[in-house]
Amino acid sequence: MSDKFSKIYDLSIKDPEKFWQEAADDIFWFKKPTKILNKSNPPFYKWYEDGVTNTCYNALDFHIDQGKGNKTALIYDSPITENKSKFTYEELRSKVSKFAGALKNQGVNKGDRVIIYMPMIPEAVVAMLACARIGAIHSVVFGGFASNELASRIDDSKAKLLVTASCGFEPGRTVEYKPLVDEAIKQAQHKISKMILFQRKGHEVKLNAPVEISWDEAHANAKDTDCVEMNSNEFAYILYTSGTTGTPKGIVRDIGGHVVALKWTMKNIYNIDEDDIWWSASDIGWIVGHSYIVYAPLFKGCTTVLFEGKPVGTPDAGAFWKIISDYKVKSLFTAPTAFRAIKKEDPEGKFFSKYNLSKFESLFLAGERADPDTIKWAENLLKVPVIDHWWQTETSWAISSNCTGIEMMKTKYGSACKAVPGYDVKIIKSDQTLAKPNEMGDIVVKLPLPPGTFPTLWNADQRYKENYMSNYEGYYQTYDAGHIDEDGYIWIMSRTDDIINVAGHRLSTGAIEEVLSEHQSVAECAVLGIADKLKGQLPIGLIVLKAGVDKDNETISKECVQMVRDKIGPVAAFKVAIVIKRLPKTRSGKILRGTIRKIADNVEYKMPPTIDDPAILDEIKEDLIKNNILKSA
């Protein structure tokens, strides 16, 4: 490590309280904290315990107080609908303040939960910030999720109110939200008291008064509403992520640490200043959208871009270049999948040459491992640093990165660079000893985690302890495996649980298996993520049928695919269910998913010593070849 970065990093590890006290001086507090870190009840650490602040105040009011109300806060660009708009900090606060009043009129108060199931429109950002303004806890659910996924989140959060829209738009199709929401409300055991629906022009739907009201009706008697004072350790939001069972995990974010850490990252990791234009091409339903479309850029006081479109098809593979050129974007943060899609459509970069990207300085990739080929292709095209960095829904910001605002480091292709200040990352081997440089093992982070991460799970302290904090005493288990080299660069090689990464979306293979198991003809099944050049990983299902089934295999496969589409949603990208004779297992009955995945990915594997019948692996190989998953040798 060079001197500048190394000094800052060392301070964050050796004296975290001093480090994060200084960072906390950069945000607005109604009451400044005097207790920086409470370590009395591990693993439930508390940052800024006696501090009082408000998320929305830091995102909007704080900048207006400093005379920056006329500065552009949010740029909305929707190539799908051909709508564009800009909002200053003052204009955005006005909308947020009014909708906060609308929520209050519907009985939403501090601590109540609000589900937001919306497309990428300004009203979604307004709804999130309005919840923060009055101290309500929002839970944004990605609009591509199926009804039962939405229902499970209504039930777990016990939401009082749901905010939605009449539809969302994908290239070439309209996703009607109302039928999905209606079905979710029907399935949910917990009943919400009110729904507010934003009518999209030309796609208006009928509402059932008085429980369902339109966005405009909700504003009828709404008054501007001030920010509520919130204790630092109260929750800003719940974001559900796939669990290793079908039950989603409610990641919670405490308010004080969230504001401090995210504001700190904008300059130190991404080198973004107040006068810069920042763009995160993600979705508000995912953690990247929460942290880097909405919160971090607004905490920093810069301009953030909200894009309702895709890297290709809206209208072409030049969509990203157009946005960067039109708005003079300094830095873009997106998933490697987006660049693989652009590369596939326009390998020679012909669309790129049509636009002026002279203000563009850096590209950040995360959400899945960025393969060296994609990084090099992007570097050659863009002529700017392309940075693969690593973080998780649980952490809300990067665990490892090239911290460009502190000091630019050299790129090692295939690595996610070095641990970010605040994260003491280690590799622990299966014998519970610390690994030496370049030795593989489980990637863990020494406790306490820095501010802005997750202090627990929603109403599930025990699950938090058991899932994340129990396997390695004093460490957070990331469920990623890899190694750290002699220069401190972190290499993420694989997952150690059943979560797969499809185009940056974390999905549980266990949840998909539960759906397949419900098919009346399926005796047992296994779902695994296989390597895919475009999406990173794709799930495939292997299904063993019950004896005496008379339906043909093709029909059963199609039915299984449709079931996953209906219950998990198109986001799972589940298109292949292969009927096989039997699954390879250990003698104790454990399915050898890792071995099957290696066969499918055509990588070397050792014959597991505990396998029940080695001949099954040859059968699996033949099945994968027959179904074009694996090429014949």
Side-chain angles (χ1 to χ4, degrees), residues 287-303:
I287 183 56
V288 175
H290 276 57
S291 292
Y292 291 102
I293 295 174
V294 183
Y295 290 116
L298 295 179
F299 293 155
K300 183 63 186 173
C302 65
T303 301

Side-chain angles (χ1 to χ4, degrees), residues 167-189:
C167 67
F169 298 115
E170 297 284 336
R173 73 187 183 104
T174 301
V175 183
E176 303 292 348
Y177 282 8
K178 187 65 163 53
L180 292 167
V181 170
D182 287 347
E183 180 58 29
I185 289 170
K186 193 170 136 190
Q187 286 183 25
Q189 291 179 355

Side-chain angles (χ1 to χ4, degrees), residues 330-550:
K330 181 179 179 180
S331 292
L332 167 65
F333 177 0
T334 191
T337 300
F339 268 73
R340 286 194 284 264
I342 296 167
K343 180 184 170 190
K344 185 184 173 192
E345 289 285 314
D346 184 24
E348 293 171 19
K350 288 176 183 174
F351 282 104
F352 178 80
S353 60
K354 297 178 184 180
Y355 299 100
N356 176 6
L357 274 72
S358 58
K359 297 288 184 185
F360 190 58
E361 290 187 12
S362 55
L363 168 66
F364 287 84
L365 301 174
E368 64 201 286
R369 186 172 176 267
D371 56 287
D373 282 353
T374 299
I375 291 178
K376 287 173 185 175
W377 180 83
E379 279 179 342
N380 290 334
L381 187 70
L382 299 168
K383 307 287 190 256
V384 300
V386 178
I387 294 154
D388 181 20
H389 63 324
W390 167 57
W391 52 298
Q392 301 177 321
T393 302
E394 286 83 353
T395 64
S396 95
W397 57 285
I399 304 170
S400 74
S401 181
N402 193 333
C403 291
T404 61
I406 299 174
E407 189 163 28
M408 184 67 79
M409 300 177 207
K410 68 175 182 179
T411 297
K412 287 194 181 187
Y413 296 107
S415 160
C417 211
K418 297 179 182 179
V420 170
Y423 290 96
D424 189 0
V425 181
K426 307 286 187 192
I427 308 292
I428 297 186
K429 297 190 292 184
S430 53
D431 63 3
Q432 301 273 321
T433 61
L434 285 173
K436 293 172 186 166
N438 299 307
E439 280 188 337
M440 277 284 289
D442 282 359
I443 306 175
V444 298
V445 182
K446 194 172 183 191
L447 297 177
L449 291 174
T453 53
F454 70 140
T456 187
L457 295 173
W458 177 252
N459 284 342
D461 285 355
Q462 194 57 32
R463 190 179 183 192
Y464 174 78
K465 275 179 81 167
E466 288 172 0
N467 273 27
Y468 295 104
M469 309 295 176
S470 297
N471 285 350
Y472 301 106
E473 185 74 31
Y475 292 94
Y476 159 63
Q477 184 173 6
T478 68
Y479 289 99
D480 279 302
H483 65 272
I484 299 174
D485 70 16
E486 59 284 350
D487 297 320
Y489 280 68
I490 297 170
W491 300 73
I492 316 296
M493 306 312 291
S494 64
R495 288 292 289 173
T496 55
D497 62 4
D498 79 343
I499 305 298
I500 61 170
N501 212 316
V502 181
H505 303 157
R506 294 178 71 220
L507 296 163
S508 166
T509 55
I512 299 173
E513 285 178 6
E514 284 183 15
V515 174
L516 296 180
S517 299
E518 290 171 13
H519 192 287
Q520 57 190 14
S521 301
V522 173
E524 59 179 345
C525 62
V527 173
L528 51 138
I530 60 167
D532 179 77
K533 282 186 179 175
L534 184 63
K535 291 182 180 279
Q537 284 180 297
L538 279 177
I540 66 163
L542 302 178
I543 51 181
V544 178
L545 302 184
K546 294 174 182 173
V549 171
D550 20 333

Side-chain angles (χ1 to χ4, degrees), residues 53-78:
T53 186
N54 180 282
T55 298
C56 185
Y57 200 99
N58 276 281
L60 301 175
D61 302 67
F62 180 62
H63 309 298
I64 295 165
D65 291 349
Q66 295 183 323
K68 295 170 184 172
N70 290 327
K71 186 176 177 203
T72 302
L74 181 73
I75 296 169
Y76 169 59
D77 193 307
S78 172

